[in-house]
Amino acid sequence: MDIQIRNLPDPAGQAPAPSSLSAAAASESFRDILSEFAVTEAETSPPPAAPLADLAFAQPSASQDTVDSIKAQTQDNLSWQAYYTSGGHFQLGERFTMPHVLPSHEEAVRAIGPGGPYSVEAVSNCILSMAAHVAQGNPEKIAEIRQEIEKAVAIFRRDYQAATKEKDLPQICLATYDAIMTGLDKLQAEYTQNNEAAAQTA
């Protein structure tokens, strides 16, 4: 797993998008889906003495709106949740780049608290919106996405435990994972019911 975290934000900042997912090349469809959670990027450059960060959710480009992009987004979001929960001290060796400026306690609490960009609701809704867009009403695709997210979280859990010696992920990450799985179950059931109803009326 490749987790990269750049400079951290000021109180009005936003979260860095993974390097593999270019926000500049994001498709309009993903912009529409995730606009509810994205925060407008600052137009001015941060001062050299206090580097800032971009805390917006990554928006996969048209060529990357696949199950792989959902896996990467899930791992990246969980890593930010773990980072803020631990006060900015979670790291995975050389694969995790410590930012120049650590978040204040208030910034960390705000980022993962209710309404924050890395709250349980915001992260789970982001992933579920991406899943719905990729699945396009296909329950089998939702099942595939679920399996791949399970794999992604298992890898992240292993790396987190190895780096921190903790027994498990932070509670907010576990709650987010449960919310994503519950949401995927509902989507799969809804799509299956819709397909069965369509088959009966055909």
Side-chain angles (χ1 to χ4, degrees), residues 100-124:
H100 296 295
V101 180
L102 297 177
S104 67
H105 176 73
E106 291 75 15
E107 290 171 332
V109 169
R110 189 160 46 247
I112 59 179
Y118 289 94
S119 63
V120 172
E121 181 180 21
V123 171
S124 60

Side-chain angles (χ1 to χ4, degrees), residues 75-99:
Q75 288 183 329
D76 192 70
N77 285 340
L78 291 181
S79 72
W80 272 110
Q81 285 185 332
Y83 182 79
Y84 282 123
T85 300
S86 65
H89 298 290
F90 163 57
Q91 53 186 316
L92 289 174
E94 295 181 353
R95 288 177 294 173
F96 188 97
T97 303
M98 289 297 289

Side-chain angles (χ1 to χ4, degrees), residues 102-174:
L102 297 177
S104 67
H105 176 73
E106 291 75 15
E107 290 171 332
V109 169
R110 189 160 46 247
I112 59 179
Y118 289 94
S119 63
V120 172
E121 181 180 21
V123 171
S124 60
N125 284 345
C126 172
I127 300 302
L128 291 171
S129 294
M130 294 173 65
H133 178 80
V134 171
Q136 294 292 306
N138 184 347
E140 294 181 358
K141 179 62 71 173
I142 291 294
E144 177 187 346
I145 291 171
R146 181 189 177 93
Q147 292 177 351
E148 294 305 316
I149 288 179
E150 288 174 344
K151 294 177 184 177
V153 173
I155 292 172
F156 180 72
R157 175 182 279 115
R158 178 201 66 195
D159 290 347
Y160 178 84
Q161 291 172 324
T164 64
K165 310 306 179 186
E166 295 289 340
K167 293 182 178 179
D168 206 343
L169 295 173
Q171 184 57 43
I172 188 172
C173 297
L174 298 176

